[in-house]
Amino acid sequence: MLHSDSYGSEGGSDQPCEAAFAAIAAAPTDRPFVVAQLGQSLDGRIATLSGHSRYINRFAALEHLHRLRAHVDAVVVGVGTVVADDPQLTVRRVKGRSPARVIIDANGRLPQDAKCLVDDGVARIVLRATSRPVPPGVQEILVATAADGGLCPRSIVETLFAAGYRRLLIEGGARTISIFLQHGAVDRLHVLVAPMIIGSGVPGIELPPIAVVDDALRPVTRVHLLADGDVLFDCDLRLAVSGESEHV
Ligand SMILES: NC(=O)c1ccc[n+]([C@@H]2O[C@H](COP(=O)([O-])OP(=O)(O)OC[C@H]3O[C@@H](n4cnc5c(N)ncnc54)[C@H](OP(=O)(O)O)[C@@H]3O)[C@@H](O)[C@H]2O)c1
């Protein structure tokens, strides 16, 4: 079913993609809830080979991302995104409260002058495998369990939950989202597809190879058409479609 959401003339709306946000608002309060988002082209790219990505998605998708931030307790990014894009990770395009900002930076690559470390009253947290030293601008180091040469995503989620951050947005980049997906640490995935074919470039989600498509993730998905042509796929990773094939 395609849900067409109406935006106002400036791209704003009272309740775009209402069902997608209702699912986050209704998440159980006694356990963590993880939503990941990725914006990409029709051919599954998030940037050109040179790394140029601004902008694949259009205004409505950007507003959707800010609205997602306003619905969670903490927004989580890999340090690669901070190095590449220097995002603020605030909700400045929508009404609401900016979530805590969490950077996964096991190897201490986080630039000291990163915009996400600006002291605006919002918590700034770095996740590592060890607790020392605390870099300038960072309020707190949280320690997660090491696994497979990195930090275990489930440990990251549990660590943040224990620190009071229940609803998490894994905002990117592709590598971070892929690792969380691979470890079954995502409840909901929002893929925002722009009607654009780049034809080469940086891929989005990448998981270990599978031999047959029966082994692919096939989440129950709702589709929303945004006003300026991008499409939101709201995927429930906790509900899988049955393996029966449908021939068209
Ligand atoms: N299209 C979108 O929606 C979107 C959103 C955000 C970003 N982006 C794009 O994505 C690109 C950056 O993405 P990326 O995939 O290169 O990098 P990334 O996912 O932002 O960061 C990856 C890095 O974060 C650290 N990391 C992440 N998860 C970890 C874990 N579980 N354990 C240990 N370390 C972990 C590692 O740092 P170390 O290498 O230091 O170990 C890893 O190399 C940029 O071009 C940005 O524009 C796109």
Side-chain angles (χ1 to χ4, degrees), residues 128-205:
R128 288 195 180 154
T130 57
S131 61
R132 296 186 303 270
V134 179
V138 174
Q139 277 184 317
E140 193 176 1
I141 298 269
L142 290 178
V143 177
T145 308
D148 301 335
L151 303 181
C152 170
R154 286 178 179 273
S155 169
I156 290 172
V157 171
E158 290 301 334
T159 300
L160 288 169
F161 183 63
Y165 303 105
R166 176 174 61 86
R167 292 166 305 177
L168 308 178
L169 169 62
I170 313 300
E171 181 166 320
R175 175 139 184 250
T176 299
I177 291 174
S178 298
I179 297 171
F180 272 74
L181 276 174
Q182 186 184 337
H183 284 79
V186 178
D187 295 289
R188 208 94 183 187
L189 174 65
H190 285 194
V191 181
L192 292 137
V193 178
M196 167 195 287
I197 298 170
I198 301 177
S200 59
V202 181
I205 293 165

Side-chain angles (χ1 to χ4, degrees), residues 37 39 46 78-81 85 104 107 109 150-151 171 173-176:
Q37 84 80 41
I46 63 163
V79 68
T81 292
D85 294 348
I104 307 174
N107 295 304
R109 289 203 288 134
L151 303 181
E171 181 166 320
R175 175 139 184 250
T176 299

Side-chain angles (χ1 to χ4, degrees), residues 17 87 111 117:
C17 306
L117 297 182

